[in-house]
Amino acid sequence: MSIWMILPVSLPAFTITGIWVVYAMALHNQHVCPVDNWLYNQSCEMELPLQRGPVLCCTLDNVPLISKCGTLPPESCFFSLICSTGSFMVMVIVLLRYAHVIEKQQHCMLNTAGLSTGWICAAGLIMVGNFQVDHAKVLHYVGAGVAFPTSMLFLCLQCALSYRLAKTQSDYNMAYLRCTMSLLAFVSLVLSGVFFIQESFVLQHASAVFEWVFCLIIMLFYGTFAFEFGGVSGDTLMVLAKGGAQGQDGVCGRGEPAPGGEPLGCRKDPRPPVMTSSINMQTLEAGGWS
């Protein structure tokens, strides 16, 4: 059991709790309407923060999208903090996952792609958290356009890696769980994107709901890495110190051979072996020492 398994558990615990706190603050300050509110108006006589009473007049500017919840202070400060801290934790988790795969198996293309997409997703998340949608809309949408697709791609790559590296029944069960979560996340992302561009108030609100579902699934997916991180040791960190040294020779995932006979996705030293003893003997014979 490794202490590193606390890290993937801490990420969803911190981020999910954090964004719900941000939502609660935005709701308390009447910057957004409640998630259970499905009634919206074209316009209101008073802005939402100035309204009083049990029934609020909401417009599309008050849809409880995650970004909208973190737009205005003081909740915007906490939203930026959560996104920045969460991005750092994502980068560390992705890096440890990359090293753990190399340590147990071999360096392969799927693993490298997973590292790249995970770090790109973290960069997009930083942009989302630090450029609020009402103040820097273009940069915010650029960050969201980077973070959402790459996070979905990261999930798919990790599903493929989990299945290829599975050896025991528990490994296969974890791979099936991750595939199920990835499918649910994909459906939520597609529905959120499709509903977001519609003019219907109900569909706009549904887009916000599916966005929340998508983000919750993503964070819970990272939490499943605690299953593998229980085996992370000092040797795993040494893999990173050596610049991604390879693990067992000739093994990559399940070791399927490529058309040339080499395991798929594995690196091999292209330099031919040097026959030192033969060269020395030929040199001695040429010099008359035979």
Side-chain angles (χ1 to χ4, degrees):
M1 191 69 66
S2 172
I3 193 174
W4 287 104
M5 68 181 301
I6 299 176
L7 181 60
V9 175
S10 301
L11 176 61
F14 171 75
T15 53
I16 293 176
T17 303
I19 59 177
W20 278 107
V21 169
V22 169
Y23 166 74
M25 294 175 63
L27 194 62
H28 175 75
N29 295 324
Q30 294 188 183
H31 292 158
V32 296
C33 286
V35 174
D36 58 354
N37 173 75
W38 292 82
L39 298 177
Y40 291 90
N41 300 280
Q42 291 285 357
S43 61
C44 297
E45 295 182 359
M46 300 177 63
E47 294 183 357
L48 185 62
L50 302 177
Q51 297 179 30
R52 295 294 180 267
V55 180
L56 301 176
C57 178
C58 299
T59 65
L60 286 181
D61 291 334
N62 311 124
V63 175
L65 293 162
I66 297 178
S67 300
K68 279 289 186 179
C69 294
T71 296
L72 299 175
E75 53 266 23
S76 60
C77 304
F78 288 93
F79 184 67
S80 297
L81 176 63
I82 292 167
C83 289
S84 299
T85 307
S87 299
F88 175 75
M89 296 174 71
V90 165
M91 294 179 68
V92 176
I93 291 173
V94 170
L95 186 62
L96 285 177
R97 169 66 170 170
Y98 171 78
H100 185 259
V101 172
I102 295 178
E103 179 194 17
K104 295 301 180 183
Q105 300 294 334
Q106 188 85 8
H107 190 64
C108 57
M109 294 299 295
L110 280 177
N111 197 25
T112 304
L115 175 67
S116 302
T117 54
W119 279 24
I120 293 173
C121 172
L125 182 58
I126 291 176
M127 293 184 65
V128 168
N130 291 279
F131 296 99
Q132 280 75 30
V133 64
D134 285 355
H135 307 295
K137 182 174 294 186
V138 174
L139 291 176
H140 180 86
Y141 283 148
V142 168
V146 170
F148 282 12
T150 52
S151 61
M152 190 66 248
L153 181 57
F154 176 79
L155 263 61
C156 295
L157 291 172
Q158 293 304 319
C159 287
L161 266 178
S162 300
Y163 180 73
R164 288 176 62 87
L165 303 180
K167 296 180 180 179
T168 64
Q169 186 59 45
S170 59
D171 294 336
Y172 280 105
N173 292 338
M174 180 56 64
Y176 298 149
L177 174 62
R178 287 173 179 166
C179 290
T180 302
M181 296 178 70
S182 299
L183 179 60
L184 294 175
F186 178 75
V187 173
S188 300
L189 179 61
V190 171
L191 292 178
S192 177
V194 171
F195 292 162
F196 182 75
I197 61 177
Q198 305 301 318
E199 296 182 358
S200 170
F201 296 158
V202 174
L203 294 181
Q204 287 273 342
H205 189 85
S207 173
V209 173
F210 281 113
E211 183 188 52
W212 279 90
V213 172
F214 174 76
C215 292
L216 293 177
I217 294 175
I218 294 294
M219 293 299 103
L220 292 175
F221 187 96
Y222 278 98
T224 63
F225 287 127
F227 178 76
E228 288 91 356
F229 281 23
V232 171
S233 62
D235 294 335
T236 309
L237 303 180
M238 288 302 298
V239 171
L240 298 176
K242 294 177 181 178
Q246 299 178 7
Q248 303 172 3
D249 294 336
V251 179
C252 182
R254 295 183 179 178
E256 290 92 342
E262 183 181 345
L264 186 62
C266 297
R267 294 180 178 177
K268 185 177 181 181
D269 192 349
R271 295 173 297 179
V274 179
M275 305 300 294
T276 306
S277 58
S278 299
I279 294 176
N280 291 339
M281 289 298 297
Q282 293 175 4
T283 304
L284 292 175
E285 290 176 359
W289 293 91
S290 56

